[in-house]
């Protein structure tokens, strides 16, 4: 039994109601992006807004807060019990510091901004979106002031996504990786094998064929339709509606089939995390991933470390050949390279394992500079292009391919992007430790139960803990060292400097 | 502006949160019967249970109740404002009279009973279900005592589904109709045209073809995919998730295609009611149908009065012939008779417009007798068979075809069935008034905008009011007379005594 303390048990009993509403909220978000009739959008926004305020009220309920404060005098709380208090205190802190009026203004602004952004992106009309963007960064600045911070307003926002991580932490991280990444990228570019496009990108497919492929790929990954679903969404995502109901979505573009497979595997990685949380943590604040970075480390582990691995791709190759006739013209080698192209891209989500991080660094630096009032919103597009030139050597011709590509800012999610790179570099740490514990990834994947071995390792080391530990603590617990970028570089070099000799 | 009173406005502002949660609850119910992964059932039950209790708390919130009581001193409330108070007072009365413990026991018992019932039905094992049924009727009896009643415990339960209707009302209604229905049925049975089966019932179809037919039929009915959806469910239902998001479901049985079309049209009728409620009533307690009977009068109006009408069926005939090859062997006359078969059936939902009511009367009488402790649960199957023999001249050979066929009792829905017959007989009243106002239904349906004319009439007379009026008041308001069975008999006789001459 994980929870023994009487007060903790009382807290968890009360929390069940909050969790229940949050799960319905999650269902409504899933629905909003899958099956909701289009005209329902406005009312759905109002409904979710009301429920948001109710959740806030329930968490800030005086008796509930009193109960939580009462645990301060409790001794001998175990890790699980301490984590309940840690997480609830953080939520109470955040919610109590943000005035109702601010939350309302924030929700209203970002709800509208998402619609404006979508239209602006479609028509490539930046002007239409700039006022919203300005307002959102003003609100983010305000939010940081309300929440408080030690060194940098950005700290307050980053902490919303990655507990205990600071601007400084990410500065160190990005300074640490950018030259090394650039170096690897330059070597690849000068390789005789370097290609910046691939004929498979142009090959067209039928949605029905791709759907079959996705389900067969998921089957290899032990996807369980009794506890999960695969649906279609404008932008793929994963949603945890309950411990036995974690849903993923994917997309279909009629061509460039890798995008659909990669998205499916990526979201599957997210879902595996949620599905493997210890059932004893069900309905508690611990039934969720440790952080955004940790979650991304799971999705990207499956998308990249497994999904672009040569042994794994051989299995996928057979599935794809069954359903995609055009593959008769190609060899496995083409297929493998197609999944492992390294080349500059305008679009972040299309980027490869190496250049991806330049997209993140660009966004991180821009967010920081805007919050520091070092640049004006109007100057952001200019800086964007300059950064792209510096880091990737390319300059977007449209705003769609530039500042308008991501939904995050329109949602008010400032401080979110850096967790993507953190998650990716964490996959290197997991790989290093997994190989130490169980053997080389290629040797595991060759085994018939290879996928099970990997999933068992992830479950026992990461998934089952939910958010008992912060990402920093969990990293140390698993790897016996702090966050380290070297393992991911080792992986990158071993793989890509062989491929691009 | 419908709502002017200050206190009412404050009540409605607070009610928005309750409405919001209820709408998410509705979404979760829709999901539960459409896309939810099977293993999620147990947790979904727990989540909905918690949300149920929360809704109760919000409605019984002291300040909220005080506000409602405060309106007693308010004068000059209009119909809309009075209705808000009427409905909320009723909910408060019901919720405050039922102890938490009872609600929990009721939910737990019926949740379990539904699973037991499903299995018992599959295996035709009545014994397995009888203990649950016994418990449920005991709880229903308790519920009636908690809620209070003047003459009959059944009154308290009926009032949950049909405001202001009593056991006496339904006794009068059923006594009034049963001999007349029997008489019509006997005439039909002695007709030379009488058939008790039809070759079209055996014809097999492909689901994809039926889906196309359903969408084309819905198109004729002005189904709006921007505000609605059609999905598949084990048992068809309609769910109102918001004013611009009212979803329906249908089923496919591989053969006997009428069942799928009729179910689709039936649920469409329900959805039209919800979609046409005055937008000013959005997020208020008035944004719902006036009663279960009123709602059923809408679904059955479309399923029967329109859906089995000869002019309408001619349009459907063309659609069906496009997609069902076997129809080449048949004439329209066969098709028309197939949709209008009158013959005894074991299964209520399969029954025709005439014999249907014997199924309801049977259930009504059994519910009443059990609540009066006149018969024991163990004796119910025996009585069931006896009633079937008396009313329909047939005796079910299995429990699946008898007492185990309906889900209602396992859900604890005692007092629900009678509203089905009420709704059906109301369709006769609507038809009579519609024809008086606009002209004969056949003449309307021949017109190109015939469906629009009918929908406009229903909207202006019934739909737009939501639950401003009780069913009794609304009937009087529309027809200038109280509930009357004669119009439906007129319709039945005019139609079926011609068909079965």
């Amino acid at each position: 039994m994980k929870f023994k303390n009487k007060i903790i048990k009382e807290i968890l009993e009360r929390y069940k109601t909050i969790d229940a509403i949050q799960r319905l909220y999650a269902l409504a978000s899933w629905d909003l992006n899958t099956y909701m009739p289009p005209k329902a959008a406005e009312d759905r926004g109002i409904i979710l807004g009301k429920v948001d305020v109710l959740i806030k009220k329930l968490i800030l309920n005086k008796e509930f807060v009193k109960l939580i404060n009462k645990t301060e005098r409790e001794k001998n709380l175990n890790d699980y019990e301490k984590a309940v208090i840690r997480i609830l205190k953080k939520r109470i802190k955040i919610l109590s510091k943000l005035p109702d009026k601010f939350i309302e203004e924030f929700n209203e602004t970002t709800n509208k901004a998402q619609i404006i952004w979508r239209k602006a992106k479609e028509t490539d009309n930046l002007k239409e979106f700039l006022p919203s963007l300005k307002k959102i960064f003003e609100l983010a600045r305000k939010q940081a002031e309300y929440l408080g911070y030690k060194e940098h307003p950005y700290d307050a926002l980053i902490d919303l996504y990655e507990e205990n991580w600071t601007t400084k932490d990410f500065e160190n991280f990005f300074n640490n990786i950018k030259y090394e990444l650039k170096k690897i990228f330059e070597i690849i570019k000068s390789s005789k094998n370097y290609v910046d496009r691939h004929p498979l990108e142009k090959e067209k497919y039928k949605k029905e064929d791709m759907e079959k492929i996705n389900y067969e790929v998921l089957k290899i990954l032990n996807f369980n339709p009794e506890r999960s679903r695969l649906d279609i969404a404008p932008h793929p995502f994963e949603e945890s509606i309950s411990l036995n109901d974690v849903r993923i979505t994917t997309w279909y573009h009629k061509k460039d089939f890798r995008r659909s497979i990669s998205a499916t595997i990526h979201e599957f990685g997210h879902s595996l995390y949620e599905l493997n949380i210890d059932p004893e943590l069900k309905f508690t604040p611990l039934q969720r991933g440790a952080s955004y970075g940790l979650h991304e480390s799971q999705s990207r582990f499956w998308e990249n470390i497994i999904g672009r691995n040569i042994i794994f791709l051989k299995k996928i190759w057979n599935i794809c050949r069954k359903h995609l006739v055009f593959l008769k013209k190609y060899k496995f080698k083409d297929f493998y390279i197609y999944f492992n192209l390294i080349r500059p891209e305008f679009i972040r989500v299309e980027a490869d394992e190496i250049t991806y991080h330049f997209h993140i660094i660009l966004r991180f630096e821009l967010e920081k500079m805007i919050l520091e009032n070092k640049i004006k919103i109007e100057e952001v597009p200019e800086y964007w292009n300059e950064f792209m030139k510096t880091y990737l050597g390319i300059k977007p011709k449209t705003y769609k391919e530039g500042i308008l590509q991501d939904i995050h800012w329109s949602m008010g999610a400032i401080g979110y992007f850096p967790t993507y790179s953190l998650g990716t570099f964490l996959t290197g740490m997991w790989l290093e430790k997994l190989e130490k514990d169980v053997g080389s990834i290629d040797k595991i994947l060759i085994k018939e139960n290879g996928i099970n071995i990997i999933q068992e390792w992830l479950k026992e080391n990461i998934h089952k803990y939910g958010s008992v530990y912060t990402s920093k603590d969990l990293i140390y617990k698993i790897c016996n060292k702090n966050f380290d970028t070297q393992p991911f570089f080792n992986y990158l070099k071993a793989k890509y400097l062989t491929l691009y000799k």
Side-chain angles (χ1 to χ4, degrees), chain A residues 298 301-302 305-306 309 426-445 450-462 478-479 487:
Chain A
Q298 296 312 297
F301 185 88
W302 287 96
I305 307 280
I306 307 297
N309 174 287
L426 279 175
T427 62
M429 293 189 78
W430 310 146
L431 179 65
E432 184 181 72
K433 187 60 168 57
L434 169 73
E435 294 200 317
K436 210 174 189 176
D437 288 356
V438 202
S440 98
I441 190 85
D442 288 354
K443 278 189 188 150
I444 300 173
L445 282 172
I451 295 291
N452 298 48
I453 292 170
I454 295 165
Q455 291 181 349
E456 194 57 27
W457 187 91
L458 290 170
K459 181 179 174 181
E460 284 308 309
N461 284 280
I462 301 172
I478 297 166
C479 304

Side-chain angles (χ1 to χ4, degrees), chain A residues 358-371:
Chain A
F358 296 124
H359 294 271
I360 300 301
I361 293 170
L362 179 162
R363 286 155 179 79
F364 172 77
E365 293 187 356
L366 281 174
E367 288 184 348
K368 193 159 61 95
M369 284 161 73
I370 301 170
L371 289 171

Side-chain angles (χ1 to χ4, degrees), chain A residues 267-278:
Chain A
E267 301 308 333
F268 169 80
H270 278 304
S271 73
L272 198 65
Y273 195 174
E274 298 285 337
L275 286 164
N276 278 339
I277 292 174
D278 185 336

Side-chain angles (χ1 to χ4, degrees), chain A residues 5 10 106 211 267 316 322 338 355 373 399 451 458 461 483:
Chain A
N5 181 283
E10 205 182 329
F106 189 86
E211 275 182 321
E267 301 308 333
I316 307 299
K322 242 196 312 179
Y338 168 56
T355 60
N373 292 321
Y399 296 117
I451 295 291
L458 290 170
N461 284 280
F483 175 61

Side-chain angles (χ1 to χ4, degrees), chain A residues 467-491:
Chain A
S467 54
V468 176
Y469 304 104
T470 66
S471 59
K472 279 190 176 174
D473 289 347
L474 189 60
I475 293 165
Y476 196 88
K477 184 176 154 65
I478 297 166
C479 304
N480 215 13
K481 61 178 171 184
N482 289 325
F483 175 61
D484 179 7
T485 57
Q486 206 46 53
F488 188 66
F489 279 120
N490 295 342
Y491 156 76

Side-chain angles (χ1 to χ4, degrees), chain A residues 331-351:
Chain A
K331 289 184 182 147
F332 174 70
K333 175 90 190 184
D334 302 313
F335 184 77
Y336 180 61
I337 295 214
Y338 168 56
F339 269 84
N340 286 286
L341 284 182
I342 304 286
R343 45 89 194 269
E345 265 282 7
F346 295 118
I347 307 294
R348 177 183 61 83
V349 295
E350 302 289 298

